[in-house]
Amino acid sequence: LSVKMNAHDEVQRTLNPTCTGTSVIALQYKTGVVVLTDRVVSYGKMARYKNVSRQYKVNDNVLIAFGGDHADFHWLQNVIERQVLLWKRFDQDIGPKALHGYLTSLLYARRCKMNPIWNTLVVAGVEEEEKNNKETSTPFIGVITQKGCAYQVKHIATGLGAFLLNQAVEDEWRKKGENLSREDAEAVLRKSLELTLYHDCVADNEFEIGRVDANEGVVLGTEEKIIGDWSIAETNCQYE
């Protein structure tokens, strides 16, 4: 069935995303970045799709995680793949900073057209030219909001985690800073996810921790599960 639109018909945009992912947590350690996401895509408050990865390996140096609309990120994957192929024509691999800049421009342009991409993106990686020089090697974490606002950080929690977890991660970061080991960084993320479970009704207890390391490249995580300590419900006097 074809529908003809008149020239005066208003163009309709998506006002609310349909199937969404929630928080992304990323933390820089000594030689790389660890990224945690849960594995559920929700339809409103319902856990509609389980065992869905919200992390995407761009190449051996770049990993992207997303929150927000799942369909929009599928479209973004095609855009990113075209950019990767474009850089391959010049015998280069696109780096995290270049990809972060490109996606910032793309999301800002779509926002200016009043047709935003409903995603918050976390770009993690290590620049290829910095890998061999450990003294100058600096792992990269870049964040882009759906409005095209972009910034670079040492650690980040997006979605509802931005209100719940940034201070918890900041406290752990201040203890060791850039000397944080990968094992310590992953322990911080697992603790953060447990806090998310207690407060975020659309967060899931199945998760994965991916990483970008100067020595190992991109390593996608495997499915893990956390139960949490629900004895704390006894301290809540208003749950009834």
Side-chain angles (χ1 to χ4, degrees):
L1 177 65
S2 61
V3 179
K4 293 183 177 180
M5 292 185 62
N6 297 323
H8 300 291
D9 287 347
E10 182 180 357
V11 176
Q12 299 294 318
R13 306 295 190 186
T14 300
L15 300 180
N16 291 291
T18 303
C19 294
T20 60
T22 182
S23 303
V24 176
I25 314 168
L27 177 60
Q28 184 185 113
Y29 64 95
K30 188 181 299 184
T31 59
V33 179
V34 287
V35 182
L36 182 146
T37 56
D38 64 21
R39 294 175 57 84
V40 68
V41 171
S42 301
Y43 181 82
K45 295 295 188 294
M46 179 178 69
R48 179 65 179 85
Y49 301 106
K50 303 277 284 186
N51 302 317
V52 177
S53 177
R54 293 192 288 119
Q55 300 184 17
Y56 171 61
K57 177 181 177 181
V58 177
N59 53 39
D60 288 335
N61 299 325
V62 186
L63 175 69
I64 293 183
F66 77 95
D69 191 64
H70 193 244
D72 275 358
F73 189 73
H74 268 289
W75 179 82
L76 274 176
Q77 284 186 30
N78 293 329
V79 174
I80 293 168
E81 287 172 5
R82 289 197 293 270
Q83 284 299 308
V84 170
L85 292 175
L86 180 62
W87 280 61
K88 286 287 187 183
R89 291 172 58 187
F90 302 99
D91 295 324
Q92 291 183 336
D93 286 326
I94 190 169
K97 295 179 181 178
L99 184 59
H100 180 255
Y102 172 78
L103 292 175
T104 299
S105 299
L106 176 62
L107 266 66
Y108 184 75
R110 286 286 296 267
R111 166 259 179 115
C112 291
K113 294 178 181 179
M114 303 301 290
N115 185 23
I117 296 172
W118 292 84
N119 289 125
T120 298
L121 306 176
V122 176
V123 182
V126 179
E127 292 292 336
E128 179 66 33
E129 58 270 19
E130 295 180 359
K131 276 187 172 181
N132 297 325
N133 192 339
K134 304 303 180 185
E135 295 182 358
T136 60
S137 178
T138 303
F140 176 86
I141 302 176
V143 183
I144 316 164
T145 70
Q146 72 177 54
K147 296 179 180 179
C149 177
Y151 50 94
Q152 181 178 346
V153 290
K154 301 293 186 182
H155 52 79
I156 186 65
T158 70
L160 190 56
F163 303 97
L164 300 174
L165 305 177
N166 273 324
Q167 185 59 54
V169 176
E170 174 74 16
D171 290 343
E172 296 297 329
W173 169 261
R174 287 179 178 177
K175 293 177 182 178
K176 294 185 178 180
E178 295 180 356
N179 293 321
L180 200 69
S181 67
R182 177 171 65 84
E183 292 76 13
D184 291 338
E186 290 182 356
V188 172
L189 296 193
R190 287 187 172 90
K191 179 180 178 181
S192 299
L193 179 69
E194 186 173 348
L195 293 174
T196 306
L197 284 178
Y198 301 145
H199 298 87
D200 187 353
C201 64
V202 294
D204 196 61
N205 68 329
E206 294 182 1
F207 66 96
E208 60 183 324
I209 299 179
R211 66 180 183 271
V212 188
D213 193 276
N215 302 315
E216 302 175 271
V218 173
V219 180
L220 293 176
T222 57
E223 181 181 335
E224 301 180 50
K225 183 178 290 188
I226 190 169
I227 301 301
D229 179 14
W230 292 101
S231 64
I232 62 171
E234 298 298 329
T235 65
N236 188 341
C237 300
Q238 299 175 345
Y239 64 87
E240 68 276 1

